Amino acid sequence: MRELLTRLGPAFIKVGQALAARPDLLPPDFIAELELLQDRIPPFDDARARALIEEELGAPASQVFSRISASPVAAASLGQVYRATLAVDPSKTLRISPAPPFGPDFVTNGAPSSSSSPKARSLLSSLPADTPVEVAVKVQRPGVRETIGLDVFILRSAVALLKSAKNVNTDLPALVDEWSSSLFGELDYRIEEANGTLFKSLYGRLDGVYVPAMVPSLCRKRVLVMEWVEGGRLRSASDSVLALERRRESGGSSASSTAPSPAPVSAFSSPAASFSAVPALSAEAELRLVDVGVRCSLEQMMSVGFFHADPHQGNFIRRSSDGKLAYIDFGMCARIDDATRRALLTASVHLANREFGSLADDMLALGFFPPGTQRSVVAPALTGVFARAMDGGIQSLSFQTLSADLGKTMYDYKFRLPTYATLLVRSLTVLEGIARSADREYPGLLQSAYPWIARRLLQSPSPELRAALRSLLYKGNQFRFDRLESLLLQAARSPPRPAAMVSLAESSSNHPSAAAASSSEGEQNQVTAAGGALGLLLSPDAAFVREILVDELAKGLDSGFGGDPSSGFDAEL
């Protein structure tokens, strides 16, 4: 099936990649095989690629780049990537990206000269001082838009016939529409440039995260120029994918002979033999990168609202110069509204605390069920799914197993996972697979993420999250001091967020809370760093928690002096 999709072309390759992220539609064996479509795709002709570069930039490639790889270092369904050096004047100081020397498979054009075209000189003279010199040049496959348009039309017609002829639970035409709309967005590299620039501004300050810079003045609809990242791919996302790769390498599967074989070296998972290999990381170092990825994913999905929507392991690079986790390929990014982000966070809290009844309500709020669904019908089945997932405790929760079990239940009840939920589960499954391959005793992603979740819950000004916190701290009318203590201790383990990290809505509209966040979080970070759980409780953003504590202490004192426990401080005091 995978090889057939590869031969059919880019649209069908993308179909396979999209289906690989849908555990509610296909069994695990199919998903594991389709994930291999993230590997190398046969490249198109280099001469055509250079001609397209020159057409889009309006200047000879040899005058814009002093050196460029003779062949692509990576090829995907929509385009392929070359490594290059900008042909900047030696007197112009630009940022030098750490990278090994070029090998013999690079074409050297030399420094810019007075004979360069006016267009080339104009492009290069306008580059800001922080522009990286070592760059990756992504070039779109010729005719890919027309090919995909025709393929989408044929595919949509075919699935419509299939749905009418067979008893298929899923709305297949809607699925194709959902996928094709994001796919056509990927065909305009100017959108990817804007996505990458925004992603860097939002998450580039996170500890352990690296986001390469774009070169906006050289980005066009079919050509994208961005900073080169030297490094290696993270481990495979799952044991099943690892096994399939080994089987293919040993001759057990007939992969296309024209496709370059994957190799764990260089940026964009480059197979170029001239590049220096990146040493394999220790299990401990790999797990540190997983923790970085989990924290960044939580910021994207549950805090800011702008997220990297193509989270397969090929888009994570471990940067060789400093060991940071680098994100690449921003063609598919998406947004999550405030209400959904809050529901995701409360659902995580309810899952961690085994409050499955509340979790079923969260699923309704998250749009997992179509309008009119009766909660009483699906709640028992969902409770069973989550109870089985948490049977061994929070440390044994496997997102891969949970997504498969949840997908089966959703299929049986004719429901469909929302797009954002699919992407979130896939992202966490990728990180979990990396962690499990590094350490079989890895405690689990939810346990790793819970400190961040606890800190966010305790400090959020959102009325909905404060209501969720209240419901968590009370059992009937009884206040649970042990639950608050547990949340504080967990939250103290999470590093403070960077100053002025606000939601996407706030950052894009110059919201006044953005300025306040910088001051408030700066003070809070100093307090919590020094005082742990107590420092967190005394921080400015924990005022709501202190109010609850004071109220409960007042009730306790009032009760002790014989007053009405519900009346707070009594006049007798």
Side-chain angles (χ1 to χ4, degrees), residues 177-193:
D177 292 342
E178 172 189 295
W179 159 79
S180 62
S181 110
S182 62
L183 176 57
F184 277 107
E186 285 191 75
L187 295 178
D188 189 340
Y189 288 169
R190 294 170 299 186
I191 295 176
E192 180 172 354
E193 179 273 316

Side-chain angles (χ1 to χ4, degrees), residues 202-203 296-307 334-349 362 365-366 420 424 452-453 456-457 460-462 464-465 468 497 501-508 513:
L202 292 172
Y203 311 114
C296 189
S297 294
L298 291 169
E299 290 288 353
Q300 295 173 54
M301 293 283 187
M302 297 187 189
S303 179
V304 178
F306 180 76
F307 67 100
R335 300 171 188 243
I336 300 179
D337 60 61
D338 290 346
T340 300
R341 294 201 309 275
R342 290 191 295 266
L344 283 172
L345 197 147
T346 55
S348 301
V349 173
D362 295 330
L366 287 168
Y420 69 84
L424 173 62
W452 184 97
I453 294 171
R456 186 68 175 153
L457 186 65
S460 175
S462 160
E464 291 83 359
L465 290 184
R497 307 170 71 218
M501 176 70 78
V502 295
S503 73
L504 181 63
E506 292 168 349
S507 66
S508 62
S513 66

Side-chain angles (χ1 to χ4, degrees), residues 150 193 280 309 318 326 343 367 376 398 449 478 490:
L150 178 60
E193 179 273 316
R318 61 178 189 268
S376 59
S398 166
Q478 183 178 1
Q490 287 287 337

Side-chain angles (χ1 to χ4, degrees), residues 13-86:
I13 292 172
K14 282 291 184 179
V15 170
Q17 292 174 344
L19 289 174
R22 300 304 299 254
D24 55 323
L25 300 181
L26 294 174
D29 289 345
F30 276 73
I31 290 173
E33 182 67 31
L34 291 173
E35 280 183 340
L36 297 179
L37 291 172
Q38 305 292 0
D39 285 341
R40 317 294 291 157
I41 304 297
F44 63 90
D45 183 65
D46 294 310
R48 297 188 71 185
R50 291 174 186 274
L52 198 148
I53 291 174
E54 297 184 357
E55 178 184 341
E56 289 288 291
L57 296 182
S62 60
Q63 296 178 11
V64 178
F65 307 104
S66 61
R67 292 180 295 187
I68 188 167
S69 56
S71 58
V73 297
S77 56
L78 303 183
Q80 57 198 39
V81 177
Y82 295 83
R83 180 186 165 194
T85 301
L86 290 176

